[in-house]
Amino acid sequence: MNQILEIIGMGLLLIGSIFLFLGGLGIFRMPDTYNRLQAGTKATTLGGMSVILSVGLLEPDWFIKTLVLVIFIALSNPISSHALARANYKRKNYPYLKGGKEYDKYREVYQKEEEETA
Amino acid sequence: MEKITSPGKFTRFVMSWLILFVVWLMFTSTLAVQEVITGLITAFLIALFTSRFFTCCDFSIFSPVKLFYIFIYFFVFLWALITANLDVARRVISPKLPINPGIVKFKTKLTSDFAKMVLANSITLTPGTLSVDIIDDTYYIHWIDVKSLDPEEVHKDIAEQFEKILLKIF
């Protein structure tokens, strides 16, 4: 039984580290902040979750505690990425667009303010 | 709006006490008497001060139908998370970097603030999307590979699978 848990834990550890590596590569390759956040958030969520779960499987006494940590990661990671993206837009770092300006529907929210100040 | 998002004072207090106590039990992971009593008192004190920020849900969340939909939601979410990661991995590895990014918007049918938060979190963790802002009931979503700019179709592509279940829960 212990051996099976150990094998599953090792597998999860490997999968998690692969996804964390891909997330890092994504942050390096993507053209702007929003795309980097996309790669970063998803990869760190699944990667972090499976690494923490693997710790819980390799050390069965801690399993329930690691479960709580996994839930906290799933709740807090998307919120932090949303806050970063929104703050970045407020700093007027507009996203990289391949298809031209009509691909950015969020601009209209700030357009009014800009016209008033101009 | 206020009526839906915030249950009564007493309900909020008991719910946050309960949730804090369950988290305590999971962290200590024992049922020893002194641990349980300490947990009950600590959770009571924290709930006393923080229950006014607690807007998630009332006791009806424990009805079997809602619990069933929460169970379903968990698996839908897990599947979306895994496909999202494979999708990002594919885009990152392929040498051409196949992206066509943009920010799209759509309107949601959800009314409670907590449900909107859950939907935004789920959207962030699904393939190729990242929620940038929510203004009233309009979501602004950064999409890594824009397939449509029409709000209806965006809603269908991104949000519908989660919204259907969330409408039944909240």
Side-chain angles (χ1 to χ4, degrees), chain A residues 15-73:
Chain A
I15 293 169
S17 34
I18 288 172
F19 276 123
L20 284 174
F21 168 74
L22 286 174
L25 191 67
I27 288 173
F28 182 70
R29 285 201 67 195
M30 290 296 182
D32 74 338
T33 319
Y34 304 92
N35 291 309
R36 285 179 179 164
L37 273 175
Q38 293 245 15
T41 315
K42 278 158 199 136
T44 52
T45 310
L46 191 67
M49 276 159 92
S50 53
V51 166
I52 289 173
L53 262 188
S54 79
V55 172
L57 288 174
L58 294 176
E59 201 73 45
D61 290 350
W62 300 349
F63 184 72
I64 302 176
K65 290 177 203 185
T66 56
L67 220 57
V68 180
L69 292 180
V70 164
I71 295 170
F72 281 160
I73 286 185

Side-chain angles (χ1 to χ4, degrees), chain B residues 75-114:
Chain B
F75 283 101
V76 171
F77 175 74
L78 200 66
W79 176 246
L81 181 58
I82 291 168
T83 48
N85 272 277
L86 294 177
D87 179 76
V88 164
R90 183 177 63 81
R91 282 180 210 284
V92 167
I93 290 175
S94 76
K96 273 191 204 154
L97 208 64
I99 58 173
N100 177 25
I103 295 182
V104 295
K105 69 172 181 179
F106 70 87
K107 280 189 191 306
T108 179
K109 293 185 205 104
L110 297 170
T111 46
S112 114
D113 283 350
F114 188 78

Side-chain angles (χ1 to χ4, degrees), chain B residues 113-147:
Chain B
D113 283 350
F114 188 78
K116 281 184 200 166
M117 191 274 278
V118 173
L119 181 61
N121 269 8
S122 309
I123 285 170
T124 298
L125 293 175
T126 47
T129 48
L130 171 82
S131 41
V132 176
D133 206 352
I134 310 171
I135 298 170
D136 294 329
D137 59 349
T138 312
Y139 281 68
Y140 292 89
I141 307 288
H142 181 266
W143 203 353
I144 205 167
D145 189 8
V146 176
K147 295 195 185 84

Side-chain angles (χ1 to χ4, degrees), chain A:
Chain A
M1 188 61 201
N2 261 346
Q3 230 161 9
I4 300 171
L5 281 185
E6 208 160 285
I7 291 167
I8 298 174
M10 292 288 185
L12 277 179
L13 194 60
L14 182 68
I15 293 169
S17 34
I18 288 172
F19 276 123
L20 284 174
F21 168 74
L22 286 174
L25 191 67
I27 288 173
F28 182 70
R29 285 201 67 195
M30 290 296 182
D32 74 338
T33 319
Y34 304 92
N35 291 309
R36 285 179 179 164
L37 273 175
Q38 293 245 15
T41 315
K42 278 158 199 136
T44 52
T45 310
L46 191 67
M49 276 159 92
S50 53
V51 166
I52 289 173
L53 262 188
S54 79
V55 172
L57 288 174
L58 294 176
E59 201 73 45
D61 290 350
W62 300 349
F63 184 72
I64 302 176
K65 290 177 203 185
T66 56
L67 220 57
V68 180
L69 292 180
V70 164
I71 295 170
F72 281 160
I73 286 185
L75 282 177
S76 61
N77 232 350
I79 293 178
S80 66
S81 82
H82 147 75
L84 284 171
R86 188 160 170 270
N88 193 44
Y89 208 102
K90 290 209 160 178
R91 291 278 297 164
K92 295 190 172 42
N93 282 327
Y94 297 124
Y96 158 80
L97 303 167
K98 240 179 199 167
K101 260 191 177 173
E102 69 269 24
Y103 275 77
D104 185 0
K105 294 287 182 197
Y106 193 42
R107 193 71 157 264
E108 64 204 41
V109 178
Y110 291 96
Q111 213 114 54
K112 273 182 200 162
E113 287 176 31
E114 273 169 31
E115 277 165 19
E116 276 166 20
T117 50

